[in-house]
Amino acid sequence: KLRVLIRAESVGGYSVSVPALPGCYSEGDTLEEALTNIREAAELWLEDAAPLISADVLATHFLRISLRLCAFA
């Protein structure tokens, strides 16, 4: 499972990131859009990393991508 960090922006919308995947960031005007975008970003990140990750680990990550809301200041 991958933890997703979500931050409501002062100018509107949300920024999101997956701390376990360096450089995996996205945003959206609504929470739903932000979560959809980060799921796609995480899947693309994992696809790009596929040559560097064992097949078992990669398959596990693809099957277990889940979004958990985590509040932070």
Side-chain angles (χ1 to χ4, degrees):
K1 294 183 179 184
L2 297 171
R3 178 175 287 165
V4 174
L5 299 180
I6 301 167
R7 183 172 68 189
E9 296 295 336
S10 60
V11 295
Y14 297 86
S15 61
V16 288
S17 64
V18 179
L21 307 177
C24 188
Y25 301 99
S26 194
E27 61 185 2
D29 292 331
T30 65
L31 182 57
E32 182 178 315
E33 180 182 22
L35 293 175
T36 297
N37 291 344
I38 197 64
R39 180 182 296 273
E40 182 180 335
E43 288 172 353
L44 291 171
W45 193 102
L46 290 168
E47 284 177 16
D48 287 346
L52 306 174
I53 300 175
S54 75
D56 291 340
V57 171
L58 185 62
T60 300
H61 280 296
F62 270 117
L63 293 174
R64 301 188 108 189
I65 289 176
S66 65
L67 304 175
R68 293 188 334 197
L69 305 180
C70 301
F72 66 96

